[in-house]
């Protein structure tokens, strides 16, 4: 058991508790090795010291300033309990867009001709129209898919 | 007797705007301390903490009353503080390094020295200030605010495994720094 092992365990908080005597080799080393003993002491005391740091107070007029800002805010748009529902509804167009995009892509893939066409075969006007429709469906589908996918992410980033 | 947070939230949602003041009063110091620990600038911390309460008020309808209020508030604060740090970073990059003097790693803004008078606390603040942003936030939420790992993960938008890793690294860096400073070294009583 080296100091490095013990220090790893100290940092993982496996030995920083009240049951030192219940643990075997690690606490023995931690208590007898000067370096590890100091490290264990520091690690054990740090959480309590951090909790005691709560003495930093907010500025004196903090609450007044917050409430004044809220008053101005509420004059503009009063808060209601139904806000999350409306926020959820905003996602429906994006979801519909996503589904429409997937459907159009699937349709385009099912319409596209499968397999190579011999070079001497002429393309009929009907086939050309079908190809154009396939490409158009694919493009519109991809655009719908991208809009449906990225709109909620962009909205979340803005918020 | 303390009114439960959920009852205050219900009152605010019912139209009693002034009830929100009780929540501000209850959490202002705790939240200010958290934000200060994150942004390391008292002026910035005040702005971010105020923005946090205002945003919490405007989105109070989205708060799940089955869960404790403070972790939800802390999650908003963490996001706003991260935005503040990002904006501050871009200003520093754009306008030169002199603006970064007050938030250099390991350093502490002068005005913060006036907020903390106890030398041991000051040393601890310096040690926490020297941590990376993620480690600093995690350690603050865990030890100072007493949030469980799951709530910290929700506040930071990461997995619980990431939080545990950040805590491990933070503990190591704090131990190394505090041990080398010698201020906290004492004989361990078995």
């Amino acid at each position: 058991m080296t100091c490095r092992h013990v220090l790893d365990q100290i940092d993982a908080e496996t030995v920083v508790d009240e049951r030192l005597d219940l643990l075997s080799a690690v606490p023995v080393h931690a208590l007898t090795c000067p370096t590890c003993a100091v490290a264990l002491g520091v690690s054990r005391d740090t959480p309590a010291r951090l909790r005691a740091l709560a003495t930093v107070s907010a500025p004196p007029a903090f609450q007044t300033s917050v409430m004044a800002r809220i008053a101005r805010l509420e004059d503009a748009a009063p808060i209601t309990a139904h806000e999350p529902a409306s926020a959820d509804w905003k996602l429906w167009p994006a979801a519909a867009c996503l589904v429409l995009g997937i459907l159009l892509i699937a349709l385009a893939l099912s319409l596209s001709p499968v397999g190579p066409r011999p070079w001497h075969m002429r393309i009929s006007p009907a086939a050309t129209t079908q190809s154009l429709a396939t490409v158009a469906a694919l493009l519109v589908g991809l655009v719908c898919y991208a809009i449906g996918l990225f709109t909620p992410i962009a909205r979340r980033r803005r918020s | 007797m303390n009114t439960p947070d959920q009852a205050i939230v219900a009152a605010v949602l019912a139209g009693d705007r002034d009830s929100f003041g009780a929540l501000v009063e209850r959490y202002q110091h705790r939240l200010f301390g958290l934000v200060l620990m994150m942004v390391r600038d008292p002026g910035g911390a005040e702005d971010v903490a105020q923005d946090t309460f205002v945003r919490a008020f405007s989105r109070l309808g989205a708060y799940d009353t089955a869960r404790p209020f403070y972790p939800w508030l802390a999650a908003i604060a963490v996001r706003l503080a991260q935005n503040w740090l990002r904006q501050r970073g871009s200003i520093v990059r754009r306008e030169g390094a002199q603006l970064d003097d007050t938030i250099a790693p390991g350093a502490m803004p002068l005005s913060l020295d006036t907020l903390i008078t106890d030398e041991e606390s000051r040393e601890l603040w310096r040690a926490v200030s020297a941590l990376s942003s993620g480690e600093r936030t995690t350690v603050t939420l865990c030890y100072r605010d007493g949030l469980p790992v799951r709530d910290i993960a929700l506040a930071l938008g990461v997995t619980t495994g990431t939080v545990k890793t950040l805590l491990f690294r933070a503990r190591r860096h704090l131990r190394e720094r505090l041990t080398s400073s010698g201020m906290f070294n004492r004989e361990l009583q078995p």
Side-chain angles (χ1 to χ4, degrees), chain B residues 86-97:
Chain B
R86 209 172 293 132
Q87 283 168 4
R88 172 94 180 197
S90 64
I91 291 170
V92 168
R93 274 194 299 278
R94 205 167 51 238
E95 303 191 7

Side-chain angles (χ1 to χ4, degrees), chain A residues 4 7-13 20 30-31 35-47 49-63 65-67 69-75 79-84 156-159, chain B residues 12-13 15 17-22 24-25 28-29 32-33 36-37 45-47 49-51 53-62 79 115-116 120-121 124-125 128 139 143-144 167-168 171-172 174-175 178-179 184-190:
Chain A
R4 191 177 167 184
L7 292 175
D8 276 348
Q9 296 213 28
I10 289 172
D11 295 332
E13 270 197 337
L20 280 173
L31 293 171
T35 310
C36 294
V38 169
L40 182 55
V42 168
S43 289
R44 201 158 71 167
D45 293 346
T46 301
R49 289 204 168 95
L50 283 167
R51 276 191 288 275
L53 272 181
T55 47
V56 177
S57 300
F62 183 85
Q63 190 182 344
S65 307
V66 171
M67 293 313 288
R69 282 183 61 183
I70 284 174
R72 285 199 298 272
L73 183 82
E74 198 170 54
D75 288 342
I79 185 174
T80 62
H82 304 293
E83 194 176 327
R156 195 176 165 191
R157 276 198 183 155
R158 273 200 303 273
S159 67
Chain B
V12 176
L13 289 175
R17 185 190 68 201
D18 292 339
S19 294
F20 194 75
V24 179
E25 188 177 7
Q28 59 177 336
H29 303 301
F32 180 74
L36 183 60
M37 199 79 100
E46 184 177 355
D47 290 344
Q50 279 194 19
D51 289 347
F53 279 112
V54 172
R55 186 165 290 200
F57 176 82
S58 62
R59 298 192 178 178
L60 205 57
R79 191 170 295 176
L115 286 174
I116 305 165
E120 272 199 3
S121 296
L124 194 55
W125 268 94
V128 175
V139 100
Y143 293 119
R144 207 188 64 92
L167 276 176
F168 175 79
R171 277 194 293 263
R172 165 160 298 178
L174 280 177
R175 174 180 59 73
L178 294 174
T179 307
F184 296 92
N185 298 1
R186 62 172 176 79
E187 284 299 313
L188 186 70
Q189 299 302 316

